[in-house]
């Protein structure tokens, strides 16, 4: 590991420990959220973060296009389970089968079980499939198996995966959030993260002065950390905000009412707790081990966000910087500094850098109220989510 990577790993670990202690979080579930997309102002981007499957590390660079996300993992598992055949129902329906399936994809039953689906079918058949009401027996026979209902429920979401809380709920939670503050001294603060849920693992690193790092900023960041960096952080509002995959219609919520529920916790629990071929299709390339095993793709899920608003962070370095280095630091501050890579003016945020006669810098970053920032997430092992 390079000198800058060692320095930033140490600072990341210190920041993690400071946040956990200062905000009263648990190091057995908290994961740092890092990167330039830390502000949330609408529901879909917030749901995308919940959808991301956290890697085993105390920090994570959230990427909206990341391959491993919960909704697709869930669908992959559904495809590997044994569903009941609807061949009897299809034979009974004849030419009307395609019409019913088209209707079923856009109309949600009152409950996702045999009774709810039978009631939906019967009402449709009376008007659209004369004489086919008796086919309901074959339909309910298939849907006695909850896997069938879960598969159809997921399909009805049409690629739009909501969670059961919206940005409005987050903003209400923030309004009642607590005020928190803490200090960090890189020459004294602990960087020991072996006791955490991630067992000392860290992921991507950033320079202090440049998102994504870069050779031009390596020495500047290393100098700041090794010479001693003091951070004072103040969050006027902090809240831990939980949400779960959308499993039941919420017609009273004007946002959620636009979405179809897509998640069945009981079926995922069935898949997790039952390894045999009565549930898992032994002809599928997806096995219990590939999904949930020690190297499985679904080890944990995001169950809550740690969000702050009205933020002020002051960083002071004991390092002495030359006039040319000072210009580099001032320029980089306009694009945002660690730990919030927010361009100056974006959402009202500012990063003001000043230098004393010795060339030591102080940077004050402020993000005004109304621009909530994700500090991290809480991850839960898949074994504990049911």
């Amino acid at each position: 590991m390079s000198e800058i990577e060692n320095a930033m790993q140490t600072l990341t670990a210190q920041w993690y420990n400071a946040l956990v202690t200062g905000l009263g979080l648990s190091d057995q579930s908290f994961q740092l959220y890092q990167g330039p997309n830390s502000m949330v102002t609408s529901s879909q981007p917030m749901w995308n973060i919940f959808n991301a499957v956290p890697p085993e590390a105390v920090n994570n660079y959230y990427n909206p296009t990341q391959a491993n996300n919960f909704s697709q993992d869930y669908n992959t598992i559904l495809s590997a389970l044994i569903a009941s055949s609807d061949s009897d129902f299809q034979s009974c329906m004849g030419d009307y089968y395609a019409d019913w399936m088209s209707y079923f994809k856009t109309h949600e039953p009152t409950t996702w079980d045999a009774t709810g689906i039978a009631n939906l079918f019967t009402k449709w058949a009376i008007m659209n499939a004369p004489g086919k009401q008796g086919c309901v027996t074959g339909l309910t026979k298939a849907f006695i198996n909850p896997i069938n209902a879960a598969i159809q429920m997921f399909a009805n979401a049409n690629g739009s995966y909501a969670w059961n809380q919206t940005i409005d709920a987050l903003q209400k939670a923030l309004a009642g959030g607590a005020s928190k503050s803490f200090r960090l001294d890189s020459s004294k603060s602990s960087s020991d993260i072996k006791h955490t849920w991630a067992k000392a693992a860290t992921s991507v690193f950033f320079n202090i002065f440049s998102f994504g790092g870069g050779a031009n900023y390596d020495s500047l960041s290393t100098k700041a950390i090794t010479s001693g960096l003091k951070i004072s952080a103040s969050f006027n509002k902090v809240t831990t905000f939980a949400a779960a995959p959308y499993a039941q219609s919420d017609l009273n919520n004007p946002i959620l009412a636009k979405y179809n529920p897509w998640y069945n916790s009981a079926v995922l629990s069935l898949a997790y707790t039952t390894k045999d071929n009565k549930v898992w299709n032994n002809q599928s390339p997806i096995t219990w081990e590939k999904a949930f095993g020690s190297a499985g793709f679904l080890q944990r899920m995001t169950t809550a966000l740690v969000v702050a608003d009205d933020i002020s962070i002051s960083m002071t370095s004991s390092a002495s910087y030359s006039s040319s280095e000072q210009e580099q630091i001032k320029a980089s501050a306009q694009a945002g500094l660690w730990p919030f890579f927010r361009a100056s003016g974006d959402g009202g945020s500012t990063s003001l850098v000043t230098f004393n006669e010795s060339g030591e810098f102080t940077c004050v970053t402020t993000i005004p109220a109304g621009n909530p920032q994700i500090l991290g997430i809480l991850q839960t092992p898949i074994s504990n989510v049911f």
Side-chain angles (χ1 to χ4, degrees):
M1 189 176 290
S2 68
E3 185 179 14
I4 179 59
E5 288 175 332
N6 274 320
M8 287 305 298
Q9 183 179 46
T10 297
L11 184 60
T12 296
Q14 290 175 326
W15 179 246
Y16 177 90
N17 287 333
L19 272 177
V20 165
T21 302
L23 304 186
L25 302 169
S26 170
D27 59 19
Q28 298 307 301
S29 59
F30 180 66
Q31 180 183 68
L32 276 172
Y33 178 104
Q34 294 186 303
N37 303 306
S38 59
M39 185 169 74
V40 286
T41 57
S42 59
S43 295
Q44 188 62 64
M46 181 181 76
W47 294 337
N48 291 345
I49 297 168
F50 274 106
N51 198 16
V53 176
E56 188 177 13
V58 296
N59 64 323
N60 181 35
Y61 166 54
Y62 169 71
N63 180 353
T65 63
Q66 69 179 43
N68 194 12
N69 63 75
F70 179 81
S71 60
Q72 293 308 311
D73 287 353
Y74 172 72
N75 186 40
T76 298
I77 291 167
L78 289 182
S79 72
L81 305 182
I82 299 173
S84 298
S85 171
D86 70 345
S87 58
D88 290 345
F89 172 70
Q90 187 172 352
S91 177
C92 180
M93 290 292 289
D95 293 340
Y96 292 99
Y97 180 78
D99 293 339
W100 157 249
M101 291 304 294
S102 178
Y103 178 82
F104 193 21
K105 289 179 180 179
T106 57
H107 292 78
E108 182 189 344
T110 54
T111 57
W112 280 95
D113 56 18
T115 300
I117 292 167
N119 290 339
L120 180 68
F121 171 78
T122 300
K123 291 178 181 178
W124 174 86
I126 289 172
M127 298 296 296
N128 300 282
K132 296 296 183 179
Q133 294 94 315
C135 295
V136 71
T137 302
L139 178 63
T140 54
K141 178 182 177 182
F143 275 92
I144 289 173
N145 184 340
I147 295 170
N148 290 60
I151 292 171
Q152 188 62 53
M153 188 179 184
F154 186 88
N156 284 8
N158 296 315
S160 297
Y161 308 115
W163 261 245
N164 65 0
Q165 300 290 342
T166 66
I167 196 69
D168 291 339
L170 171 58
Q171 290 168 345
K172 289 178 181 178
L174 264 178
S179 178
K180 301 283 186 178
S181 61
F182 59 86
R183 296 178 183 274
L184 183 158
D185 185 337
S186 66
S187 64
K188 299 177 182 178
S189 298
S190 172
S191 61
D192 178 14
I193 52 174
K194 294 179 181 178
H195 55 283
T196 68
W197 67 273
K199 305 297 188 293
T202 55
S203 59
V204 68
F205 301 110
F206 306 101
N207 278 333
I208 293 175
F209 304 108
S210 175
F211 166 65
N216 291 339
Y217 296 100
D218 285 357
S219 62
L220 302 181
S221 296
T222 303
K223 184 189 293 188
I225 299 168
T226 57
S227 298
L229 188 67
K230 294 180 180 179
I231 302 176
S232 296
S234 174
F235 308 99
N236 192 41
K237 298 290 184 181
V238 181
T239 191
T240 298
F241 182 72
Y246 195 36
Q248 185 174 354
S249 289
D250 186 354
L251 300 179
N252 294 321
N253 186 300
I255 302 301
L256 290 176
K258 301 174 185 178
Y259 294 84
N260 291 326
W262 57 273
Y263 176 62
N264 187 319
S265 176
V267 169
L268 188 62
S269 176
L270 177 68
Y272 181 77
T273 57
T274 312
K275 298 183 181 182
D276 60 36
N277 291 335
K278 294 179 181 179
V279 171
W280 289 82
N281 186 344
N282 60 8
Q283 301 301 310
S284 171
I286 305 301
T287 64
W288 188 97
E289 192 64 30
K290 288 182 179 179
F292 302 120
S294 58
F297 52 76
L298 189 55
Q299 294 288 303
R300 59 194 66 85
M301 64 184 294
T302 300
T303 50
L305 308 181
V306 179
V307 186
D309 201 8
D310 196 359
I311 299 168
S312 177
I313 295 179
S314 175
M315 289 194 294
T316 300
S317 173
S318 299
S320 179
Y321 291 95
S322 68
S323 57
S324 61
E325 289 174 328
Q326 291 178 27
E327 292 305 313
Q328 277 188 283
I329 292 173
K330 287 178 180 178
S332 68
Q334 298 304 305
L337 299 179
W338 181 93
F340 295 110
F341 293 99
R342 297 283 308 282
S344 183
D346 183 13
S349 67
T350 59
S351 292
L352 178 63
V353 181
T354 58
F355 293 86
N356 63 18
E357 294 180 353
S358 300
E360 300 168 345
F361 83 83
T362 295
C363 175
V364 178
T365 298
T366 58
I367 303 175
N371 300 278
Q373 306 291 311
I374 299 176
L375 302 179
I377 63 97
L378 300 188
Q379 63 77 36
T380 301
I382 201 67
S383 57
N384 295 341
V385 301
F386 309 113

